[in-house]
């Protein structure tokens, strides 16, 4: 290998674009006093800040995994120098693949239990003199440093976990010092006074909850990272891949499904909901008929039919994709589009009902009496008063979309089989639950990561709803 060439997939481009739009919206919200007050209430919530901290960590992993590249291969003998740039690997990797290279490259033969040093099932091993026996072979990488594993494994695990815990504690102290220093600088108070204010939770955002959440995270991540250097912390799957690495790769898929679907849902729901509520008449009738018919079709069947049709299009046009990763990315993007086309009806109905009330208010009636155009009324008077509902619905729908991907992939109509996701991990593990002994770690690892992600999203959605809903309190 002689270098790499960056590669931007469609989902990468849309994800970064969505993050830029979110940053721009946050910057614009600073000019609105009601929006600032609502976000202050979110920041003052310990539950909200803890959930936001977890979501930010998941987002960080997803963003790192969205920085893709293709490695440049060494030119073959006799290849002209002008053609060197064209010799790229067909395998697309990400920054996460590079950072977690030890997890990605240490592939065993088949299943191994968490923190094990031997395979999970017995295999026939040929000994000296041509004799054969059934035994548990040693792993190629997991616990390979142990000379006498029966005696040394327990002490080695405890020692590495302790070292990881100490490193995590050091990292937490650095983050805490930086955070308290920033608070001290913003309030222009001594470091000690800022630390006491943060720890007592007095004024401003709930930084104490952030530090407490980070403390729990580093207490878990530190030992896991230290152990992962020599062991498969969550075991390996059927083909010997590290399950911890697969769960980290699944985070990006969940975030893509949960966020990019909003790019389809938002325009349809907002535009149709406002038009139906404000214009009324035949426009309202047509839009109501449209989402009523769409809701009458079973969602899973509609999604399955759309996914299968899209898969036929992808299969019949292989020339569109240079690598398998681009092909899998196209199916992931198609799934986002399909989920968005089938999940806009609830928000549309909600916005229609709210617009029906807004159009009867005095300031809207006055604008119409003065001859203000419909487009200007919708943009200046109706839409801003609906944004709290849009924000609440989007945050609350995120967890539902993550779970929807897991269910669809479980039944075989979700992401491409080559794309790692929580659904594909659960689908691959379901057949192994009937084994004796049972292979449980792939299912448990996917469940834990998905549970934490969905729980954090739900808790944050509750805080956002309470802060932005004008009827709350």
């Amino acid at each position: 290998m002689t270098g790499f060439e960056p590669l931007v997939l469609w989902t990468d481009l849309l994800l970064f674009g969505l993050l830029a739009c979110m940053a721009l919206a946050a910057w614009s919200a600073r000019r609105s006093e009601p929006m600032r007050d609502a976000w202050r209430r979110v920041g003052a919530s310990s539950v909200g800040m803890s959930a936001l901290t977890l979501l930010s960590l998941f987002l960080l992993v997803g963003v790192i995994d969205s920085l893709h590249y293709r490695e440049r291969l060494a030119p073959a003998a006799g290849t002209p120098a002008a053609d060197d740039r064209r010799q790229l690997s067909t395998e697309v990797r990400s920054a996460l693949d590079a950072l977690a290279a030890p997890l990605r490259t240490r592939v065993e033969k088949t299943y191994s239990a968490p923190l094990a040093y031997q395979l999970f099932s017995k295999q026939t091993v040929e000994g000296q003199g041509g004799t054969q026996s059934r035994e548990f072979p040693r792993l190629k990488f997991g616990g390979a440093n142990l000379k006498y594993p029966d005696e040394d494994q327990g002490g080695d695990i405890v020692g590495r976990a302790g070292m990881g815990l100490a490193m995590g504690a050091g990292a937490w102290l650095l983050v805490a010092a930086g955070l308290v220093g920033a608070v001290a600088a913003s309030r222009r108070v001594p470091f000690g006074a800022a630390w006491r204010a943060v720890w007592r939770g007095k004024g401003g955002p709930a930084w104490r909850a952030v530090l407490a959440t980070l403390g729990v995270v580093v207490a878990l991540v530190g030992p896991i990272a230290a152990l992962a250097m020599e062991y498969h912390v969550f075991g390996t799957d059927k083909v010997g891949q590290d399950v911890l690495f697969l769960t980290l790769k699944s985070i990006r898929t969940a975030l893509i499904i949960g966020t990019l679907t909003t790019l389809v849902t938002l325009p349809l729901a907002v535009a149709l909901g406002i038009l139906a509520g404000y214009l009324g008449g035949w426009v309202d009738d047509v839009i109501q008929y449209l989402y009523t018919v769409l809701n009458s079709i079973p969602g899973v069947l509609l999604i399955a039919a759309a996914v299968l049709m899209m898969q036929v299009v992808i299969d019949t046009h292989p020339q569109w994709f240079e690598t398998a990763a681009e092909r899998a990315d196209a199916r992931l993007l198609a799934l986002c589009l399909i989920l968005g086309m089938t999940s806009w009806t609830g928000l549309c109905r909600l916005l229609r009902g709210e617009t029906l009330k807004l159009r009867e208010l005095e300031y809207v009636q006055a604008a119409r009496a003065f001859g203000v155009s419909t487009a200007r009324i919708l943009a200046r008077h109706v839409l801003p008063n609906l944004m709290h509902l849009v924000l609440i619905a989007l945050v609350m729908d995120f967890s539902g979309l993550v779970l929807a991907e897991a269910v669809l992939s479980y039944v075989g109509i979700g992401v491409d089989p080559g794309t790692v996701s929580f659904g594909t991990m659960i689908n691959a593990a379901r057949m192994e639950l009937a084994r004796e002994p049972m292979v449980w770690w792939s299912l448990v690892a996917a469940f834990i990561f998905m549970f934490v992600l969905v729980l954090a999203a739900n808790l944050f959605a509750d805080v956002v709803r309470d802060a932005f809903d004008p009827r709350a309190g």
Side-chain angles (χ1 to χ4, degrees):
M1 187 188 73
T2 59
F4 66 91
E5 181 174 296
L7 175 66
V8 180
L9 301 176
W10 279 107
T11 53
D12 300 336
L13 184 63
L14 293 175
L15 178 62
F16 293 136
L18 182 60
L19 293 178
C21 292
M22 292 171 60
L24 181 61
W27 179 263
S28 301
R30 299 179 61 186
R31 297 180 297 178
S32 173
E33 186 62 31
M35 292 289 288
R36 289 202 302 269
D37 290 340
W39 282 115
R40 287 193 192 102
R41 289 193 290 271
V42 173
S45 170
S46 298
V47 174
M49 292 299 286
S50 295
L52 181 60
T53 302
L54 291 175
L55 290 176
S56 300
L57 295 175
F58 278 110
L59 180 61
L60 177 62
V61 175
V63 169
I64 293 175
D65 198 21
S66 296
L67 302 174
H68 290 98
Y69 65 92
R70 294 174 64 185
E71 295 179 343
R72 269 196 201 103
L73 303 177
T79 302
D83 295 336
D84 287 355
R85 293 183 179 180
R86 302 178 182 177
Q87 297 181 359
L88 298 175
S89 171
T90 58
E91 183 179 2
V92 177
R93 293 177 180 171
S94 68
L96 181 63
D97 294 334
L99 292 175
L103 301 180
R104 176 177 58 85
T105 57
R106 295 186 306 171
V107 179
E108 306 292 352
K109 188 174 182 180
T110 183
Y111 291 112
S112 65
L115 299 176
Y117 59 87
Q118 57 188 13
L119 290 178
F120 185 65
S121 57
K122 289 184 177 182
Q123 295 189 355
T124 302
V125 178
E126 186 172 349
Q128 297 180 352
T131 61
Q132 294 183 342
S133 61
R134 297 280 294 175
E135 59 183 56
F136 297 100
R138 284 288 300 271
L139 296 179
K140 186 177 180 181
F141 300 101
N145 63 310
L146 302 176
K147 186 175 182 180
Y148 303 102
D150 293 336
E151 295 82 6
D152 300 340
Q153 185 187 30
D156 186 64
I157 290 176
V158 172
R160 292 181 181 277
M163 183 182 302
L165 188 60
M167 295 178 62
W172 182 87
L173 288 175
L174 291 177
V175 172
L179 177 59
V180 174
V183 172
S186 63
R187 298 183 182 181
R188 297 181 179 180
V189 297
F191 185 88
W195 171 258
R196 288 190 295 270
V198 168
W199 191 249
R200 294 173 183 175
K202 292 185 177 180
W207 295 122
R208 181 175 62 178
V210 173
L211 292 178
T213 304
L214 289 176
V216 175
V217 170
V218 298
L220 296 173
V221 172
I224 289 176
L227 290 170
M229 295 298 100
E230 291 294 339
Y231 296 93
H232 301 289
V233 180
F234 291 161
T236 57
D237 64 0
K238 186 175 183 179
V239 295
Q241 291 181 302
D242 191 279
V243 173
L244 174 59
F245 177 70
L246 296 179
T247 53
L248 293 176
K249 295 287 289 184
S250 300
I251 293 175
R252 177 184 180 270
T253 305
L255 293 177
I256 291 292
I257 294 291
T259 55
L260 294 192
T261 304
T262 61
L263 295 178
V264 182
T265 302
L266 263 184
L268 289 173
V270 173
L272 296 181
I274 292 178
L275 291 176
Y278 186 80
L279 298 179
W282 67 269
V283 176
D284 188 19
D285 293 338
V286 170
I287 294 175
Q288 284 193 74
Y289 179 80
L290 179 61
Y291 66 63
T292 300
V293 171
L294 194 60
N295 282 336
S296 65
I297 304 174
V300 175
L301 295 180
L302 183 62
I303 294 172
V307 168
L308 292 176
M309 287 189 295
M310 184 60 66
Q311 188 61 41
V312 170
V313 173
I314 293 175
D315 290 340
T316 53
H317 297 83
Q319 69 277 8
W320 291 355
F321 314 104
E322 189 174 351
T323 63
E326 292 173 319
R327 175 190 174 97
D329 185 73
R331 177 161 174 172
L332 177 60
L333 181 59
L335 182 61
C336 293
L337 295 175
I338 294 166
L339 288 174
M341 292 292 294
T342 56
S343 60
W344 60 270
T345 56
L347 180 58
C348 178
R349 184 186 292 109
L350 178 64
L351 296 180
R352 172 187 173 274
E354 192 70 16
T355 305
L356 287 173
K357 295 186 295 183
L358 290 176
R359 74 176 185 178
E360 303 300 331
L361 296 181
E362 294 179 356
Y363 62 88
V364 176
Q365 295 290 341
R368 297 176 66 178
F370 278 105
V372 180
S373 65
T374 299
R376 189 173 180 84
I377 292 175
L378 294 179
R380 294 293 300 274
H381 300 299
V382 177
L383 182 59
N385 290 289
L386 296 175
M387 289 310 297
H388 69 283
L389 293 177
V390 175
L391 180 60
I392 293 169
L394 291 181
V395 176
M396 296 186 69
D397 287 346
F398 173 83
S399 58
L401 292 170
V402 173
L403 294 175
E405 182 277 325
V407 173
L408 294 174
S409 297
Y410 177 77
V411 298
I413 55 174
V415 299
D416 188 84
T419 302
V420 184
S421 72
F422 295 126
T424 55
M425 288 184 65
I426 294 173
N427 185 38
R430 65 186 176 93
M431 296 301 296
E432 306 304 327
L433 295 179
R435 286 175 56 113
E436 183 59 40
M438 181 174 61
V439 177
W440 50 268
W441 44 89
S442 295
L443 179 64
V444 171
F447 172 79
I448 291 175
F449 274 70
M450 185 170 62
F451 172 78
V452 174
L453 175 59
V454 172
L455 179 62
N458 285 337
L459 292 176
F460 186 67
D462 289 340
V463 175
V464 170
R465 180 193 60 200
D466 295 339
F468 281 84
D469 192 345
R471 295 168 296 183

